[in-house]
Amino acid sequence: MSKPMPISGFPEWTPSQRMIEQYVLDRLRDTFELYGFAPLETRAVEPLDQLLRKGETSKEVYVIRRLHEEEGAAPTAEDTLGLHFDLTVPFARYVLENAGKLQFPFRRYQIQKVWRGERPQEGRYREFLQADIDIVDRDTLAPHHEAEMPLVIGDALRGLPIPPVRIQVNNRKVCEGFYLGLGLTDPEAALRAVDKLDKIGPDKVAELLGETAGATEAQAKACLALAQISAPDASFAAEVRALGVSHPLLDEGIEELTRVVETAAAHAPGLCVADLRIARGLDYYTGTVYETQLQGFERFGSICSGGRYDNLASSGANRFPGVGISIGVSRLLGLLFGADRLTVSRSVPTCVLVAVPTEERRAETDRIAQALRGRGIPCEVSPSAAKFGKQIRYAERRGIPYVWFPGADGAPDEVKDIRSGEQVAADAGEWNPPRADLKPLVS
Amino acid sequence: MSKPMPISGFPEWTPSQRMIEQYVLDRLRDTFELYGFAPLETRAVEPLDQLLRKGETSKEVYVIRRLHEEEGAAPTAEDTLGLHFDLTVPFARYVLENAGKLQFPFRRYQIQKVWRGERPQEGRYREFLQADIDIVDRDTLAPHHEAEMPLVIGDALRGLPIPPVRIQVNNRKVCEGFYLGLGLTDPEAALRAVDKLDKIGPDKVAELLGETAGATEAQAKACLALAQISAPDASFAAEVRALGVSHPLLDEGIEELTRVVETAAAHAPGLCVADLRIARGLDYYTGTVYETQLQGFERFGSICSGGRYDNLASSGANRFPGVGISIGVSRLLGLLFGADRLTVSRSVPTCVLVAVPTEERRAETDRIAQALRGRGIPCEVSPSAAKFGKQIRYAERRGIPYVWFPGADGAPDEVKDIRSGEQVAADAGEWNPPRADLKPLVS
C-alpha cells in the first residue's frame, strides 16, 4: 500500500484538535439541554426526491449506491438515496414521519455530519459537522420562539473559548413586503439578487434586479437602500418607513423583526443587530432569518445561520411550522485552528503515566493504574519497562504531567510532576492531582 | 409531500432512546479516556480501492457520487469514494497518512457511524454506530496490549445499565498452527469453514472442511475437537495438547492466548473465556481475536469484537501492527430497546417548566428561567400563557418534574413537584431540585 493522501474537502482533525472539538460539542450540548432541547439523530441518507424538493441544492447532493447494484437498472429518484446536505430537511421529514409520537411544540437539537458535493476549488468542506436547534409546532408556531433562538445561540457560543459573535437578523416578510409595495411582482427574484450584495457589490445587484426582477432604476435603488439599513434596536423600523413604501406583509415583517430585536436587546445587549441585507440562500425560509459573524473573521461569512420555515414539514392537512438555527462547527473550528486560536494542554487524556520497573512487575503497575482510574484519574501504564528516562520522555512527548514510580522493598510509591521535577511519596488509593491537571485544558 | 416512511436498515431512535444512547456513549468515552485513549474521527469516505483491499467485504460497500457527475465517464476505483464499513480500515489509513505526526504506541478511540450495504431481509442495519479502541505501534507491538483490550471493554460495559457480558478470546495462531500441524495446507480455508459452526453445525462444517480445505475425516474431526475447547483459564492449553498436534505456530498461539486469559483472570475474574471456536470473519486479523456475548442475548451473536492485525497498516518499510476492539453500539441498543430493557425517566432534558401567567409577563418568566439555567438547572418557559392546568399537562406529558409559578403583587414565586403535588415558595436564585431530578435518569 502506498502512502495515502488527504481527500480534498474531507478534513480530518488531529487527536488534539478532536479533543478541542469534543470540548466545544460538550459545551453546546450542555447549553441546548439547559434550554430543554431534546437530542435527536437522523439517518445520514434521505430519498433523493426529498433532498431535491428545493431545486437550488440539487447540484450539491451526493447519491449513494450499493457497489454490486451498479450494474442493474438505474433506480428512480424515489428509490435513490442521497446523503443529507443539512439537518433541517431530515428533521422536517422526521417530524412528519413521527408526528403521532411527538409532543408539540417539539424542541430538539441535532449534532451531525452533513455532506455537500461542492467544488473543492472553492475551498469549502464536502463533509462537515453542524449543530442545530429547532422548534416546531403543530399548525401555528408562537413568534416568541423566533426571539428565543438567538438567545440560546448567544449563550452557547459565549461559553466557548472563541471571539465574540454578532447575530444579524432580518425577516423575509420585510424584504418581500417592501418589494411588493414597490410594485415588483417577483419578490423572490429580487431577494436572490440582493442576496449577492456582498459578493458582487451594489452596481451589479442593481443590474441584476433589472434583469431578473424587472426593476426600474428607482426600484433597484430603493431595494439597495433597504439593504443598507442596520440597527442594534427597533430603530430600523423608522428607517424602513422613511423609504416611503407600504404593504401589509411589510408591516407584519417589521412587527416580527422588532420583537426579535427588542427581546434580544433586553436579555443580551449587543448580541443581535437588525440587518436588512441578510436573505439566506435556501428557499425554505418564510420569515425571520439569522446569520452570525465571528469578530475578526467577518470576511469568512456566517458561522451560524437559520430562520423560520412555515412550509417545510407539511403533509396534506398537517402543517408543522418551525424555526431553527445551525452552528457550522467544522467551519468555525477550521477558521480558529487555521489562525492558531485554540490550543489544548496535552495531546492525550492521560494525567498519569505509571512507570514499569521490570516486565515482571507489570501486574502490579496495572493494579496501581486501576486504583487511580477507580477515582477518576486518567492514566496509562508504560508500554515498556525501558529505562525510567525513556519512560519519562514518553510522558513528556504527549504532555502527560505526572509519572508514577512503584516503590520497591517496602518503600512507598512516588509520583513526579515532570514539569517542575517535584517528586513526592504517594498512595494510589489517596493521591489526587490538582484539579487543573485532571483533564486536558482547552484555551 | 406524502407521509414519509422509514428506510429499511437505517434505524432512527426516538429522542428518549437517543438520550439513553448519549448516556451510554458518555460512559464509554469516560472509560476510554481513563485508559488514556485519545479521541479521533476520520472522514466518512475512503477511496474504493482501499475499502476493497480485503475482497470479502466488497459486496457490502456503498459508493458515493456527486449527483451532477453521474453523466460523465465512470471513475476508477481509485477516484471512486465509498462509505467506510468499519472504523479499523480508516484508522489504519489515518495512521499511515499521519505517522510522522503521531506518537507511538498510539492509543485512540473512535465513535462513529459506519455503513454496509447488507441485504435488508437479513434484519441487519445498513447504518450503525460503532465505538472502537485501538493501539498501534511502529514495527512491533508488545503482547500485553492484547491482554489490556478486554479489560478496558469489561470496565466500559460494566458501567452501563446492561446485562453482564462474557468476552470470548481465541488466537488465530492456535487454529492455524493446529491445522498446519495436522497436515492441512490451506489453514485459512479451514478457519473459514470452522467459523460457520454456529450457523450450520458440526456435520456440515466437517463436510465443508473436506470440500474447501481438503481435510480427511480424521482431520475434520480434530478441527471440530479443537473448536469445542472452552475454558475460563489457562487450562485450555492442556486440552489442546491432549489432541496430540504440534507446530511452532501453535506453540506461539498457545503462549499468547494463555497470557491474555491469565491477565484477565487476575484483574477481572469471570470476564474472559478462552473459546477456540472464535474465528472472526474479516481477513485482517493475525493473532488474538475477541467476541462478546451479552447474557440473555447470546443467540444474537457478538456485540463487541476485534483482534490483532499485523499487516493492515503497512507501507513499504513502515509497519504498524495493531490491536483493537469495537463495540456495536447500535446493535447493543437495538437488542435492549427491543426487549424493553432500557428506560429514561423523562423524554426531555428539562427539569423545570416556568409557567407563564400572561403573555405580558413573558420577559419576567424568561428572566426566571435564565436564573435557573445560570445555576445548571435545565428549564423551559411555557410556550403559551394558557390556563395553568394546561401548562401543567404540558410538563406531565414530557415527564418534566417541576412547574414554576411566578409570584404576583409581591408574593414569592412557588415551585410545584407535579408528581407529589407539593408546592413551596422558592427563589430562582437559590432553589435546587433534588440531585436525582436534575437530569433524566437512565436505568
Side-chain angles (χ1 to χ4, degrees):
Chain A
M1 178 177 178
S2 59
K3 187 168 184 294
M5 300 290 289
I7 301 179
S8 172
F10 292 87
E12 289 186 321
W13 306 142
T14 65
S16 296
Q17 290 172 328
R18 174 63 184 159
M19 274 198 264
I20 294 170
E21 184 174 66
Q22 282 190 329
Y23 174 87
V24 166
L25 297 179
D26 286 346
R27 297 293 84 73
L28 294 180
R29 188 178 139 193
D30 282 350
T31 303
F32 297 160
E33 293 184 352
L34 278 175
Y35 279 83
F37 290 87
L40 184 70
E41 278 208 347
T42 56
R43 60 190 188 223
V45 300
E46 298 292 332
L48 188 57
D49 58 346
Q50 293 299 316
L51 294 174
L52 299 188
R53 281 170 69 207
K54 301 293 163 185
E56 276 205 89
T57 53
S58 67
K59 64 178 181 305
E60 302 177 355
V61 174
Y62 279 111
V63 294
I64 71 166
R65 294 230 179 116
R66 292 169 64 194
L67 186 61
H68 79 276
E69 268 181 359
E70 287 193 289
E71 310 300 325
T76 64
E78 210 171 319
D79 292 338
T80 302
L81 299 177
L83 297 174
H84 56 217
F85 58 83
D86 74 359
L87 301 176
T88 312
V89 170
F91 172 60
R93 187 268 310 155
Y94 182 90
V95 167
L96 278 181
E97 187 178 318
N98 297 282
K101 289 183 266 177
L102 300 173
Q103 300 289 341
F104 293 96
F106 176 48
R107 303 159 71 86
R108 81 87 178 80
Y109 70 93
Q110 189 166 348
I111 301 177
Q112 279 182 266
K113 295 276 174 64
V114 304
W115 294 269
R116 294 185 191 176
E118 309 267 5
R119 278 174 306 166
Q121 60 265 39
E122 286 171 349
R124 298 202 183 176
Y125 296 140
R126 293 176 148 195
E127 176 182 53
F128 51 100
L129 189 63
Q130 290 196 329
D132 283 32
I133 50 173
D134 284 84
I135 303 174
V136 289
D137 205 347
R138 193 186 284 274
D139 301 327
T140 58
L141 177 73
H144 59 77
H145 295 301
E146 284 154 86
E148 185 181 8
M149 287 284 129
L151 297 179
V152 183
I153 294 299
D155 250 16
L157 296 180
R158 200 161 29 239
L160 299 178
I162 64 170
V165 299
R166 171 68 60 99
I167 302 177
Q168 301 157 298
V169 192
N170 194 6
N171 192 303
R172 287 212 170 171
K173 293 177 189 170
V174 172
C175 302
E176 296 193 19
F178 185 88
Y179 303 151
L180 290 171
L182 267 180
L184 296 174
T185 51
D186 186 352
E188 293 213 349
L191 204 60
R192 271 196 294 274
V194 174
D195 194 28
K196 298 195 164 63
L197 193 52
D198 282 340
K199 274 189 198 155
I200 63 176
D203 294 350
K204 292 259 160 99
V205 168
E207 262 177 53
L208 204 57
L209 280 166
E211 287 163 20
T212 63
T216 64
E217 209 170 304
Q219 285 170 328
K221 206 176 150 192
C223 292
L224 285 167
L226 183 76
Q228 300 300 334
I229 295 172
S230 172
D233 51 38
S235 68
F236 80 91
E239 294 186 58
V240 177
R241 298 291 185 206
L243 296 175
V245 174
S246 70
H247 192 275
L249 193 61
L250 175 61
D251 296 340
E252 211 178 297
I254 287 179
E255 193 190 322
E256 290 177 9
L257 184 53
T258 298
R259 178 166 194 153
V260 173
V261 179
E262 284 191 335
T263 303
H267 291 281
L271 177 66
C272 285
V273 58
D275 192 326
L276 274 57
R277 78 163 66 195
I278 302 303
R280 301 301 309 142
L282 293 172
D283 270 339
Y284 50 65
Y285 298 116
T286 51
T288 304
V289 288
Y290 315 99
E291 292 199 353
T292 307
Q293 295 210 318
L294 187 65
Q295 198 176 295
F297 295 85
E298 290 84 355
R299 69 189 181 284
F300 295 101
S302 175
I303 53 113
C304 174
S305 312
R308 172 161 179 148
Y309 43 91
D310 279 352
N311 308 313
L312 196 58
S314 301
S315 164
N318 293 312
R319 246 180 107 255
F320 300 92
V323 61
I325 194 163
S326 172
I327 301 174
V329 178
S330 299
R331 184 180 176 76
L332 174 64
L333 292 179
L335 289 176
L336 296 172
F337 289 153
D340 263 331
R341 291 284 288 267
L342 284 172
T343 56
V344 62
S345 58
R346 54 189 192 249
S347 68
V348 292
T350 315
C351 175
V352 178
L353 176 73
V354 181
V356 178
T358 65
E359 278 302 327
E360 289 67 41
R361 292 180 67 187
R362 181 167 293 278
E364 180 192 333
T365 55
D366 282 343
R367 282 191 296 274
I368 291 169
Q370 217 39 31
L372 291 168
R373 289 182 190 124
R375 294 186 302 106
I377 302 167
C379 57
E380 283 175 57
V381 176
S382 177
S384 83
K387 285 185 182 160
F388 280 156
K390 199 176 164 199
Q391 296 191 44
I392 290 171
R393 279 196 299 282
Y394 175 98
E396 262 170 358
R397 279 198 298 266
R398 290 160 175 79
I400 300 172
Y402 297 94
V403 177
W404 192 280
F405 299 100
D409 305 324
D413 294 357
E414 296 195 351
V415 63
K416 179 182 192 126
D417 180 335
I418 63 172
R419 297 159 302 184
S420 67
E422 194 192 357
Q423 185 164 335
V424 297
D427 182 321
E430 288 171 9
W431 177 84
N432 279 305
R435 212 178 151 66
D437 284 339
L438 188 63
K439 305 215 162 175
L441 275 186
V442 172
S443 54
Chain B
M1 178 178 178
S2 58
K3 187 168 185 292
M5 300 290 290
I7 301 178
S8 173
F10 291 87
E12 289 185 322
W13 305 143
T14 65
S16 295
Q17 289 172 329
R18 174 62 184 160
M19 273 198 264
I20 295 171
E21 184 174 66
Q22 282 191 328
Y23 175 88
V24 165
L25 296 179
D26 286 346
R27 296 294 85 72
L28 294 179
R29 188 178 139 193
D30 282 349
T31 303
F32 297 160
E33 293 185 351
L34 279 175
Y35 279 82
F37 290 87
L40 185 71
E41 278 208 346
T42 56
R43 62 191 186 219
V45 300
E46 298 292 331
L48 188 58
D49 58 346
Q50 294 299 317
L51 294 174
L52 300 188
R53 281 170 69 207
K54 303 292 164 185
E56 277 204 89
T57 52
S58 66
K59 65 178 180 306
E60 302 177 356
V61 174
Y62 280 110
V63 294
I64 70 165
R65 293 226 182 119
R66 292 170 63 194
L67 186 59
H68 78 278
E69 266 180 1
E70 286 193 289
E71 309 300 325
T76 65
E78 210 171 320
D79 292 338
T80 303
L81 299 177
L83 296 174
H84 56 216
F85 57 84
D86 74 0
L87 302 176
T88 313
V89 170
F91 172 60
R93 186 268 312 156
Y94 182 90
V95 167
L96 278 179
E97 186 177 318
N98 297 282
K101 289 183 265 176
L102 300 173
Q103 301 290 341
F104 293 95
F106 176 47
R107 304 159 69 87
R108 81 89 178 79
Y109 72 92
Q110 190 168 346
I111 301 176
Q112 280 182 264
K113 294 278 174 63
V114 305
W115 295 269
R116 294 185 190 175
E118 309 266 5
R119 278 174 306 165
Q121 59 265 42
E122 285 171 351
R124 299 202 183 177
Y125 295 141
R126 293 176 151 195
E127 176 182 54
F128 52 100
L129 189 63
Q130 290 197 329
D132 283 33
I133 50 173
D134 284 85
I135 303 174
V136 290
D137 205 346
R138 193 186 283 273
D139 301 327
T140 58
L141 177 73
H144 59 77
H145 295 301
E146 285 154 83
E148 186 181 7
M149 287 283 128
L151 297 179
V152 184
I153 294 298
D155 251 15
L157 297 180
R158 200 159 32 239
L160 299 179
I162 63 171
V165 299
R166 171 69 59 96
I167 302 177
Q168 302 158 298
V169 192
N170 194 5
N171 191 304
R172 288 213 169 168
K173 293 177 188 170
V174 171
C175 302
E176 296 194 19
F178 185 88
Y179 303 150
L180 290 170
L182 267 179
L184 295 175
T185 52
D186 187 352
E188 292 212 348
L191 204 60
R192 271 196 294 274
V194 174
D195 195 27
K196 300 197 162 61
L197 193 53
D198 283 340
K199 274 190 198 155
I200 62 176
D203 293 349
K204 293 258 159 101
V205 168
E207 262 177 51
L208 204 58
L209 280 165
E211 288 163 18
T212 63
T216 65
E217 210 171 301
Q219 285 170 329
K221 205 176 150 194
C223 292
L224 286 167
L226 183 76
Q228 300 299 333
I229 295 172
S230 172
D233 52 37
S235 68
F236 80 90
E239 294 186 59
V240 176
R241 299 291 184 203
L243 296 176
V245 174
S246 70
H247 191 275
L249 193 60
L250 175 61
D251 295 342
E252 211 178 297
I254 287 178
E255 193 190 321
E256 290 178 10
L257 184 53
T258 298
R259 177 168 194 150
V260 174
V261 179
E262 285 191 333
T263 303
H267 291 279
L271 176 66
C272 286
V273 58
D275 192 326
L276 274 58
R277 78 163 67 193
I278 302 303
R280 301 300 308 140
L282 294 173
D283 272 338
Y284 50 65
Y285 297 117
T286 51
T288 304
V289 287
Y290 316 98
E291 292 198 352
T292 307
Q293 297 209 315
L294 188 65
Q295 199 177 294
F297 295 84
E298 290 83 356
R299 68 188 180 286
F300 294 101
S302 175
I303 52 115
C304 173
S305 312
R308 173 163 179 147
Y309 44 90
D310 279 352
N311 309 314
L312 195 58
S314 301
S315 164
N318 293 312
R319 245 179 109 254
F320 300 93
V323 61
I325 194 162
S326 173
I327 301 174
V329 177
S330 299
R331 184 181 176 75
L332 173 64
L333 291 179
L335 289 175
L336 296 173
F337 290 153
D340 262 331
R341 291 284 287 267
L342 285 171
T343 56
V344 63
S345 59
R346 53 188 193 250
S347 67
V348 292
T350 316
C351 176
V352 178
L353 176 73
V354 182
V356 177
T358 63
E359 278 302 329
E360 288 67 39
R361 292 180 67 188
R362 182 167 291 278
E364 179 192 335
T365 56
D366 281 343
R367 281 192 296 274
I368 291 169
Q370 217 40 29
L372 292 168
R373 289 182 191 125
R375 295 186 301 107
I377 302 167
C379 57
E380 284 175 57
V381 177
S382 179
S384 82
K387 285 185 181 159
F388 280 156
K390 199 176 165 201
Q391 296 191 44
I392 290 171
R393 279 196 298 283
Y394 175 98
E396 262 170 358
R397 279 198 298 267
R398 289 160 176 81
I400 300 172
Y402 297 94
V403 177
W404 192 280
F405 299 99
D409 304 323
D413 294 357
E414 297 196 351
V415 62
K416 178 183 193 123
D417 181 335
I418 63 171
R419 297 158 303 185
S420 67
E422 194 192 358
Q423 185 164 334
V424 297
D427 181 321
E430 287 171 11
W431 177 85
N432 278 304
R435 212 178 152 65
D437 285 338
L438 188 63
K439 304 214 163 175
L441 275 186
V442 172
S443 55

